[in-house]
Amino acid sequence: NATLGSLIYLPKSVAGACAMAYCDMFSYPWMAPAGVARGGITYTTGQLSRLTDDEIGQLYDNNVNTSRQCGGFGEVLWGQKTALKKESALNRINVRRLMIRVKKLVTNAAKNLIFTQYDDTLEKQFRGLIDPILADVKANRGISDYRILTEVTPETRDQHILPAKILIKPTPALEYISISFVVYPESVSFDEN
């Protein structure tokens, strides 16, 4: 606080909001707002409490995101779980934000078809609007695959409804790396099978 000349404690949730805004500006909402690439806590004066790897792991197992000191990168957010207890793709912030973004894009595009003629070309028009959106998200690593399904029946036509389902496979974020080192004697050639 420049007016009072004192430091103010800010919870790490502020860093989470900053990391999400950073993703929106410099990458995509479906990128994890954590780690050295997108989770830097730049406002800290270094007075954050230090947690051990075991403490970070225990907290993460209980859906609590923390931060850690990462060498030359400084303090970074370390975790991206939501409060959802059930093990699901939706218990990760990047997937939740992916769904929020995709739903908004698809809904806005679909509005262009409201009050158009409900004939045999309507389904093609719907797919023509939605497919480029999902293909773009896929090309930018947000989803690994998707399907657009329409379930038109005589009853849905009579009710003036186009029932559609969009199936999405979100691309998960890497959260752990397991590295093993194997030492061989100098006489072993790696070129041999």
Side-chain angles (χ1 to χ4, degrees):
N1 183 332
T3 306
L4 299 176
S6 63
L7 296 175
I8 297 174
Y9 169 78
L10 297 173
K12 289 181 187 173
S13 57
V14 171
C18 292
M20 287 180 227
Y22 181 88
C23 287
D24 291 350
M25 289 180 65
F26 299 107
S27 61
Y28 300 97
W30 49 82
M31 298 294 186
V36 298
R38 291 172 300 278
I41 302 177
T42 57
Y43 63 79
T44 181
T45 59
Q47 297 178 348
L48 297 171
S49 59
R50 301 282 182 248
L51 300 173
T52 66
D53 287 344
D54 285 342
E55 290 169 330
I56 290 170
Q58 288 172 11
L59 288 168
Y60 202 59
D61 288 344
N62 288 289
N63 296 8
V64 177
N65 301 318
T66 60
S67 68
R68 73 179 327 142
Q69 182 65 32
C70 286
F73 299 103
E75 193 75 17
V76 299
L77 293 172
W78 205 257
Q80 61 133 1
K81 284 191 179 179
T82 66
L84 182 65
K85 299 286 184 197
K86 180 182 174 187
E87 191 57 40
S88 156
L90 292 173
N91 74 351
R92 295 301 194 268
I93 292 171
N94 71 312
V95 174
R96 209 44 242 148
R97 295 189 61 207
L98 162 79
M99 294 308 302
I100 291 167
R101 181 71 177 144
V102 167
K103 284 180 181 180
K104 183 177 182 178
L105 291 170
V106 167
T107 300
N108 286 338
K111 286 178 184 175
N112 290 305
L113 297 176
I114 299 296
F115 300 111
T116 60
Q117 297 306 101
Y118 197 164
D119 55 17
D120 293 337
T121 63
L122 182 64
E123 289 178 74
K124 291 178 187 172
Q125 287 177 304
F126 179 77
R127 290 173 190 274
L129 287 172
I130 306 308
D131 189 62
I133 293 168
L134 299 175
D136 183 60
V137 174
K138 182 178 179 180
N140 289 297
R141 304 172 66 201
I143 55 179
S144 60
D145 201 6
Y146 66 92
R147 292 290 176 270
I148 302 168
L149 305 176
T150 52
E151 301 168 349
V152 177
T153 65
E155 293 81 27
T156 60
R157 278 195 189 213
D158 289 344
Q159 296 171 357
H160 311 283
I161 298 171
L162 174 65
K165 285 185 184 176
I166 298 175
L167 312 178
I168 292 177
K169 292 182 184 178
T171 304
L174 176 70
E175 295 184 0
Y176 301 96
I177 297 176
S178 175
I179 301 173
S180 298
F181 291 92
V182 179
V183 178
Y184 285 92
E186 183 63 32
S187 61
V188 173
S189 171
F190 292 133
D191 295 330
E192 297 175 4
N193 290 336

